[in-house]
Amino acid sequence: MPDRPLFPARRTHLDRLTGPFGIWQHARGVEPDEAFGTCTDDVARALTVDLLHRRALGWEAVSSTAHRSVEFLEAAFDQETGTFRNFRHTHGDWLDEAPSHDSLGRALLALGTAARDAPEVALRADAQRLFAAALTAARRLTSPRAIASAVLGCDAALDGGMTGEVQSTFELLTGRLRAVFFDVDLDGDWPWPEETLTYENALLPHALIVAARRLGDARLRSVGLHVLDWLIAVQTSRRGTFTPIGSDGWWTRGMSRSQFDQQPIEATALILAAAAAYGTTQDAGYLRSAEAAYAWFLGDNDAGLMIADVVTGGCHDGLSDGHVNVNQGAESTLMWLTALETMRQLRTDAMTTRHTRSHGGVPVLVELHA
């Protein structure tokens, strides 16, 4: 499959979706549907996108929204429970629903990334402080996807210089994620810890691969790569296109899988996991898998339709049989922007690796044209 073109970092739709507190959750078509308010999940993702966009656009272009996202997470933090409230009303009031494990995991992932990547000392310090305050609650996580997000957040925070409880929490949660796969028959036809494949599946092997790299754990690495390889295989069509599990019924073991409503989050989760696997193994097969998932956004999919709007930076909410969801909400848009910037960096890394090898191990400066 030839590499699809990369596109400039576009924030037109992202700016349209951004309100006074953060990014609106939903949209009707391209216009924000403010009735649904905002949520921690999407604001955390928006912070991550800002940190990715600073590479292409510069910090000045994203500084204000990054600060706003950290302020949102600060306001979302519940001192009594040590976790993050998730849903916020249009006017800024917090809804009384119990916070989800996923919202805690995603907040930790974004804050850990900011603790490592934010160029401003004050913003890094704010992210580190809030991250540290949520560690007690993180240690109580039981949901595999939330654990995986928290593991990735801890890994980023450790890269950013945090130590102590971050390291111990990282090891605790890695052990918990390892245990999720303890009784899984990795040599069988269903090397998955759940009876149903649902959403953001590649997040789990992604976290295993990253944790194994930090710990130098060859067995954990093997498990993560094996599970990722299986996910890639079962979500690749005969003609090589990425075909994620549809959310209209998912895929329960022993039953027929759902083909549609395919979601952008699945493509991006696969790209991120494949990028981590490539960084660990230098296996070009993971580059091809990431490229296939990226191409899904650009029409190389089961319906032959564009999911992403490369002009505005928006993204449709899903792919159905013969049509796309006309709405372009926060999660989908942020998944496209994350996928684009991850592919930009992955291609750069791959090109550097190829040229380093071809010059006897001596790094050379490569000018890329995408």
Side-chain angles (χ1 to χ4, degrees):
M1 176 185 299
D3 292 352
R4 290 298 191 103
L6 295 173
F7 300 91
R10 304 290 193 192
R11 293 176 65 89
T12 304
H13 189 59
L14 189 60
D15 290 341
R16 181 189 293 127
L17 288 179
T18 301
F21 304 109
I23 188 167
W24 300 111
Q25 284 188 76
H26 297 293
R28 291 185 179 182
V30 299
E31 296 302 322
D33 190 344
E34 299 179 9
F36 289 93
T38 54
C39 72
T40 292
D41 288 307
D42 290 332
V43 170
R45 294 180 179 119
L47 174 58
T48 302
V49 166
D50 282 341
L51 294 166
L52 290 170
H53 270 170
R54 77 179 181 92
R55 301 172 185 170
L57 302 175
W59 180 243
E60 185 176 352
V62 300
S63 174
S64 62
T65 50
H67 277 278
R68 183 183 301 166
S69 292
V70 173
E71 290 168 3
F72 182 104
L73 296 176
E74 181 98 48
F77 188 71
D78 186 338
Q79 297 286 348
E80 292 185 5
T81 64
T83 189
F84 295 87
R85 292 167 290 197
N86 196 13
F87 296 106
R88 196 173 193 180
H89 189 271
T90 304
H91 302 297
D93 298 332
W94 294 96
L95 302 181
D96 291 331
E97 297 180 23
S100 70
H101 281 213
D102 278 351
S103 63
L104 173 57
R106 287 171 181 144
L108 287 166
L109 176 52
L111 289 168
T113 304
R116 180 192 64 199
D117 294 343
E120 291 183 22
V121 173
L123 190 61
R124 286 201 309 274
D126 287 342
Q128 290 172 357
R129 174 178 48 78
L130 196 51
F131 186 94
L135 284 177
T136 299
R139 297 171 75 91
R140 299 194 296 265
L141 287 171
T142 57
S143 166
R145 286 164 184 76
I147 291 170
S149 291
V151 165
L152 294 171
C154 285
D155 181 74
L158 289 167
D159 280 345
M162 298 185 73
T163 56
E165 192 178 355
V166 179
Q167 179 69 38
S168 62
T169 302
F170 170 79
E171 293 174 2
L172 172 72
L173 294 178
T174 297
R176 202 167 289 167
L177 190 59
R178 184 201 305 267
V180 168
F181 288 88
F182 184 80
D183 292 326
V184 173
D185 181 7
L186 294 175
D187 295 322
D189 62 356
W190 192 264
W192 191 250
E194 302 163 327
E195 284 299 300
T196 301
L197 274 176
T198 56
Y199 68 97
E200 205 173 4
N201 299 301
L203 176 63
L204 272 63
H206 180 189
L208 291 174
I209 292 165
V210 168
R213 182 175 58 201
R214 179 168 294 279
L215 296 174
D217 189 326
R219 172 58 182 164
L220 195 63
R221 174 181 181 270
S222 177
V223 172
L225 292 173
H226 182 87
V227 173
L228 177 59
D229 290 344
W230 178 72
L231 283 176
I232 291 171
V234 300
Q235 296 183 107
T236 301
S237 73
R238 291 181 179 178
R239 63 188 183 92
T241 58
F242 177 63
T243 306
I245 308 302
S247 64
D248 185 19
W250 305 116
W251 183 20
T252 299
R253 184 176 186 176
M255 300 178 67
S256 298
R257 59 181 282 178
S258 173
Q259 184 175 5
F260 295 105
D261 299 315
Q262 297 176 14
Q263 302 290 302
I265 193 172
E266 303 308 321
T268 299
L270 195 286
I271 290 169
L272 291 168
Y278 176 74
T280 296
T281 66
Q282 304 299 298
D283 184 339
Y286 293 116
L287 293 178
R288 291 191 292 272
S289 296
E291 290 287 355
Y294 174 68
W296 177 88
F297 284 99
L298 303 177
D300 201 353
N301 51 52
D302 289 340
L305 297 172
M306 287 283 290
I307 312 298
D309 184 331
V310 300
V311 176
T312 68
C315 184
H316 293 284
D317 282 350
L319 178 69
S320 296
D321 189 3
H323 66 91
V324 295
N325 187 322
V326 297
N327 299 326
Q328 297 183 22
E331 179 183 287
S332 301
T333 292
L334 294 166
M335 289 301 98
W336 157 244
L337 297 175
T338 299
L340 174 59
E341 296 312 311
T342 301
M343 289 306 304
R344 199 186 311 281
Q345 186 61 51
L346 181 57
R347 288 187 187 177
T348 299
D349 293 344
M351 184 68 75
T352 301
T353 298
R354 286 195 291 268
H355 279 253
T356 298
R357 287 174 175 172
S358 67
H359 286 75
V362 179
V364 295
L365 181 63
V366 181
E367 184 176 357
L368 298 175
H369 301 278

